[in-house]
Amino acid sequence: MKKLLARIGAIGAAVVIVLGVVGYTQILGFTTSERVKDNVHLVYNTSGFSRIGANVIAIDAGEAWVVFDTHLGPLAKGAFKKIKSIKDMPVRYAFNSHWHPDHSGGNAAFTDEAEIVSHENVRSILADVHEGFGLTSPGSYREYKAIAREALPETVISGQSTFFVGALQLDAVHYPSAHTNGDLVLFVDQLKIVAIGDLVWPAGFPFVDVHSGGSANGVREALLSIMARTDDQYLFIMGHGDPFTAGQLREYLSMVEKTIAYVEKHKAAGRTLEEVQAKGLPEKWRIWETKLNPQEEWIRMIYETL
Ligand SMILES: [Zn+2]
Ligand SMILES: [Zn+2]
């Protein structure tokens, strides 16, 4: 009997461990990497079904890594290790595309080697208590604590700045008032890639963090400018999901332009936000709705920032 109980206990413990690992995997996933273009790797966490946190873009500059976005705090060490396992060389720069915690929360894991670079607004937001997306329901916001001083960006950009690592030239460009008020986009023309952070939400309408000074028109302007600066050979790498080709980005931009024009027309005709929301977007645009960003939310983001 004792033996049987011990065996049941052992099985129970094994079940708990398995469930624990499954639960842990669902929360944090496992870190993986994929090469999206020569010298360019995407590092992210996946549960096998969905991705957790944001993409870390790792660019092999020959003698050192350049990293774009540092992941969520608890996942950053894993991303750092994964990058080192692809090629063991130092990380020279780690850029923050904007302040959101899935893009800057992992800065501390990179500071031993890398210089953290962001737009100046990112540093000032992170240095103090700040508000941001709650991500629990559409339109929810919550308060975030200031991050440790050591993890704050040590180099800040106001407009545009160029960096050189190995043979690569990296152009970091700020687009004002788009996803937030501190968006940086990184152009690497020699590799024909653009790291564009959250200016594009690949499976849905763009997110505009109105509390952080973002605007729908700013997203439109930024995408127009990015398209004008690049050609059909470029790959556009977002903070979430898989990269876009130029054709996909064009299609996305068209949706952004036309939905903004639609809301603008109704606002100019004197309709209230509630009236435009009740009317809704034409059917063809509704394929871009997501749970956290339904059309009413996208209409609100446009209406409030026109
Ligand atoms: Zn974001
Ligand atoms: Zn994000």
Side-chain angles (χ1 to χ4, degrees):
M1 186 65 181
K2 245 187 189 170
K3 235 183 189 173
L4 182 65
L5 282 179
R7 191 169 291 168
I8 291 170
I11 293 167
V15 169
V16 168
I17 289 169
V18 169
L19 287 177
V21 170
V22 170
Y24 186 75
T25 304
Q26 271 178 357
I27 296 166
L28 299 180
F30 54 90
T31 312
T32 188
S33 72
E34 69 181 85
R35 184 193 294 265
V36 290
K37 206 166 185 184
D38 290 342
N39 304 327
V40 186
H41 303 259
L42 211 55
V43 176
Y44 55 88
N45 276 60
T46 174
S47 66
F49 303 103
S50 59
R51 295 189 192 177
I52 296 119
N55 291 327
V56 177
I57 303 167
I59 302 163
D60 178 348
E63 60 192 44
W65 287 108
V66 172
V67 163
F68 193 77
D69 282 336
T70 61
H71 220 334
L72 281 170
L75 306 179
K77 272 193 182 147
F80 180 80
K81 270 195 207 154
K82 180 55 87 177
I83 292 165
K84 295 290 196 165
S85 75
I86 300 169
K87 195 168 170 186
D88 191 11
M89 58 182 181
V91 180
R92 179 75 183 85
Y93 293 107
F95 290 86
N96 293 145
S97 63
H98 59 294
W99 75 264
H100 287 158
D102 45 336
H103 302 263
S104 66
N107 284 359
F110 290 86
T111 46
D112 278 354
E113 293 186 359
E115 191 175 322
I116 311 282
V117 185
S118 77
H119 182 260
E120 59 191 0
N121 291 345
V122 172
R123 186 183 159 106
S124 52
I125 287 173
L126 290 175
D128 216 335
V129 180
H130 49 283
E131 267 206 333
F133 283 133
L135 297 177
T136 47
S137 59
S140 66
Y141 278 83
R142 54 166 278 223
E143 202 172 86
Y144 290 85
K145 282 186 202 149
I147 73 166
R149 193 159 48 85
E150 311 82 74
L152 288 173
E154 50 209 320
T155 299
V156 294
I157 295 171
S158 54
Q160 174 166 347
S161 216
T162 300
F163 297 79
F164 295 92
V165 184
L168 286 187
Q169 176 176 334
L170 311 134
D171 294 312
V173 180
H174 168 58
Y175 287 99
S177 184
H179 176 60
T180 65
N181 65 1
D183 300 318
L184 267 197
V185 169
L186 194 71
F187 292 85
V188 191
D189 294 325
Q190 288 149 290
L191 302 178
K192 294 226 171 213
I193 60 151
V194 188
I196 61 176
D198 284 357
L199 288 173
V200 164
W201 191 260
F205 295 124
F207 273 100
V208 171
D209 187 343
V210 180
H211 285 230
S212 300
S215 76
N217 258 332
V219 170
R220 185 178 64 100
E221 293 298 320
L223 295 180
L224 276 169
S225 159
I226 292 166
M227 293 260 32
R229 230 188 122 131
T230 53
D231 61 37
D232 280 358
Q233 310 308 315
Y234 274 75
L235 191 68
F236 303 88
I237 312 173
M238 283 83 74
H240 302 269
D242 293 323
F244 269 7
T245 60
Q248 287 172 302
L249 188 63
R250 236 186 325 267
E251 193 188 323
Y252 194 85
L253 173 59
S254 163
M255 174 272 284
V256 170
E257 288 183 306
K258 286 173 181 155
T259 50
I260 291 175
Y262 178 85
V263 176
E264 207 164 21
K265 183 180 80 186
H266 287 287
K267 189 175 181 181
R271 295 197 174 88
T272 65
L273 169 62
E274 292 70 26
E275 283 166 351
V276 186
Q277 283 173 320
K279 187 169 172 51
L281 292 172
E283 197 63 40
K284 63 176 170 180
W285 304 119
R286 297 191 185 178
I287 51 162
W288 295 94
E289 279 197 298
T290 53
K291 217 163 117 193
L292 278 177
N293 204 4
Q295 58 160 347
E296 292 80 5
E297 257 314 277
W298 175 227
I299 290 171
R300 183 186 64 76
M301 289 168 186
I302 299 170
Y303 194 100
E304 285 181 352
T305 63
L306 276 172

